[in-house]
């Protein structure tokens, strides 16, 4: 019998990928957007957000985690994407070797919490020749880095305040999280009511921490309009005719709101829809497959 995993390895350019995720987490969605667009096959392990038993073996306690060939552990969505992109440019470079370009640094943030950051995480590691191939025009690598950073440091923070904006929206969001995620019936029941109430309150705190406007929708519309304006009228994507890593990051983050009121409002009241639909089809059709 043919081992289905060996088939995956062949079609995926030699890498066997396992993604540990929460389906509705924006960071995990960013990674899936990258893998889907590039047509890289992967297995998913949905993690239970209450016990997190599925990642008990890992010292790093967040998702996404991507395991490569059962031995190299990639943490952090941006590191995962940058290192895979590096590998796709030159498949001779092993993931273990590439990972050394993104060393972890522990520090304490302004709220006294220990945080881990990764050096160079927005950089795809390229030789001069590869760099000319991937970024032929001056300034486009810088632009990609700028908007990937903006996605992680600004856009992501608009999601919770928007999807938990009212008690009704908080209930609908948790209904969706429980439906899509891995919860026991008891956890699901509590998450739906206690979780929704807690997130409604936390979302208000996040709103003031990130200095959002009273009407958080206005920040969301402005953010996606700024994004569309940065692409301009002459390009289909920020990457030109094909999405680049900034397009994939923004798409991955916005996609977690699909099916919720915030998403419908954004599509109706901002200019993002044509770009979003182009991204959807590029990702669905694996247009970046090599
Ligand atoms: N910088 C990380 C952030 C990942 C992150 O914060 N993940 C959240 C889920 S959205 C998490 O796992 N939090 C810990 C927890 O749920 O216990 C990345 O880009 O991957």
């Amino acid at each position: 019998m043919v081992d289905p995993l060996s088939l995956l390895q062949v079609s995926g350019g030699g890498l066997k990928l396992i993604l540990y995720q929460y389906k509705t987490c924006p960071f995990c969605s960013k990674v899936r957007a990258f893998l889907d667009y590039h047509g890289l096959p992967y297995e998913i392990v949905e993690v239970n957000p209450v016990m997190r038993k599925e990642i008990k073996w890992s010292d790093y306690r967040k998702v996404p985690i991507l395991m490569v060939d059962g031995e190299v552990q990639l943490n952090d969505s941006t590191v995962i994407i940058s290192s895979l992109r590096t590998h796709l440019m030159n498949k001779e470079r092993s993931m273990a070797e590439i990972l050394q370009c993104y060393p972890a640094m522990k520090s304490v943030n302004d709220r006294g919490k220990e945080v881990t950051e990764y050096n160079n995480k927005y950089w795809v590691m390229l030789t001069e020749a590869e760099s000319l191939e991937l970024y032929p025009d001056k300034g486009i690598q810088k632009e990609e880095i700028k908007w990937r950073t903006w996605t992680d440091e600004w856009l992501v923070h608009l999601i919770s305040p928007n999807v938990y904006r009212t008690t009704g929206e908080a209930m609908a969001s948790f209904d969706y999280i429980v439906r899509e995620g891995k919860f026991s019936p008891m956890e699901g029941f509590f998450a739906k009511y206690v979780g929704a109430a807690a997130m409604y309150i936390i979302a208000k705190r996040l709103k003031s921490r990130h200095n959002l406007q009273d009407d958080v929708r206005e920040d969301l519309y402005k953010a996606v309009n700024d994004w569309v304006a940065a692409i301009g009228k002459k390009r289909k994507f920020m990457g030109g005719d094909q999405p680049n890593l900034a397009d994939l990051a923004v798409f991955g983050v916005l996609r977690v709101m699909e099916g919720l009121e915030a998403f419908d409002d954004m599509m109706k009241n901002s200019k993002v829809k044509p770009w979003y639909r182009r991204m959807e089809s590029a990702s669905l059709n694996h247009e970046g497959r090599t």
Side-chain angles (χ1 to χ4, degrees):
M1 205 178 88
V2 182
D3 170 10
L5 281 183
S6 66
L7 280 178
L8 279 186
Q9 282 178 326
V10 173
S11 57
L15 299 181
K16 186 191 157 221
L17 306 175
I18 303 180
L19 176 65
Y20 292 80
Q21 69 156 16
Y22 304 151
K23 174 147 188 229
T24 53
C25 147
F27 306 103
C28 303
S29 174
K30 259 168 65 184
V31 173
R32 287 198 313 276
F34 175 88
L35 295 170
D36 291 340
Y37 170 69
H38 287 96
L40 297 172
Y42 55 100
E43 259 178 67
I44 285 180
V45 176
E46 190 66 27
V47 176
N48 172 299
V50 183
M51 301 308 288
R52 286 183 287 171
K53 261 204 317 247
E54 298 78 2
I55 53 168
K56 204 170 59 195
W57 48 270
S58 168
D59 289 337
Y60 180 76
R61 302 301 292 152
K62 291 184 178 179
V63 289
I65 296 173
L66 189 77
M67 278 308 292
V68 182
D69 293 336
E71 54 190 20
V72 181
Q73 179 180 346
L74 303 179
N75 304 329
D76 187 277
S77 58
T78 300
V79 172
I80 294 172
I81 290 168
S82 295
S83 46
L84 282 176
R85 191 70 193 88
T86 302
H87 175 77
L88 289 180
M89 289 303 287
N90 177 3
K91 297 206 175 117
E92 299 293 299
R93 292 185 70 183
S94 74
M95 292 307 293
E97 185 191 337
I98 293 170
L99 189 56
Q100 289 177 5
C101 301
Y102 305 100
M105 291 177 311
K106 285 196 196 314
S107 64
V108 176
N109 72 9
D110 48 6
R111 277 171 282 121
K113 208 175 143 205
E114 191 181 271
V115 287
T116 304
E117 254 315 336
Y118 296 88
N119 270 332
N120 313 319
K121 69 177 182 175
Y122 293 103
W123 288 85
V124 181
M125 299 296 169
L126 303 168
T127 62
E128 217 165 301
E130 288 162 357
S131 192
L132 279 172
E133 187 189 332
L134 192 59
Y135 304 112
D137 295 321
K138 240 180 140 199
I140 56 175
Q141 182 172 25
K142 215 166 141 194
E143 185 187 44
E144 182 185 82
I145 291 176
K146 174 182 159 188
W147 287 94
R148 287 178 78 193
T149 311
W150 173 86
T151 305
D152 288 349
E153 293 182 1
W154 177 244
L155 186 64
V156 145
H157 300 306
L158 302 181
I159 304 295
S160 292
N162 269 284
V163 302
Y164 303 113
R165 186 181 59 150
T166 61
T167 44
E169 286 180 81
M171 291 282 287
S173 296
F174 260 89
D175 194 52
Y176 157 72
I177 288 172
V178 168
R179 204 171 346 110
E180 298 290 338
K182 184 175 180 185
F183 289 88
S184 69
M186 186 73 130
E187 288 164 356
F189 178 81
F190 276 104
K192 231 156 138 175
Y193 297 98
V194 183
M199 277 317 294
Y200 174 74
I201 295 163
I202 290 170
K204 300 284 171 247
R205 210 178 300 154
L206 291 173
K207 175 174 150 183
S208 81
R209 181 186 301 162
H210 298 294
N211 289 322
L212 304 196
Q213 298 183 41
D214 244 357
D215 181 356
V216 286
R217 285 289 197 273
E218 290 303 322
D219 282 303
L220 181 62
Y221 303 156
K222 179 173 184 318
V224 293
N225 284 338
D226 287 349
W227 163 249
V228 170
I231 297 173
K233 291 208 169 18
K234 295 201 185 98
R235 294 186 285 187
K236 274 169 78 181
F237 302 104
M238 184 164 275
D241 286 337
Q242 286 104 32
N244 68 9
L245 299 183
D247 289 289
L248 290 165
V250 174
F251 172 68
V253 166
L254 295 179
R255 189 173 53 168
V256 296
M257 295 189 295
E258 261 193 49
L260 299 174
E261 201 177 310
F263 183 84
D264 297 340
D265 286 349
M266 174 185 80
M267 292 299 247
K268 218 173 356 167
N269 299 310
S270 78
K271 297 183 176 148
V272 80
K273 193 170 171 177
W275 169 85
Y276 189 89
R277 294 295 177 223
R278 284 197 289 276
M279 280 305 298
E280 210 168 37
S281 105
S283 165
L284 212 67
N285 299 324
H286 314 300
E287 283 174 16
R289 190 176 1 220
T290 46

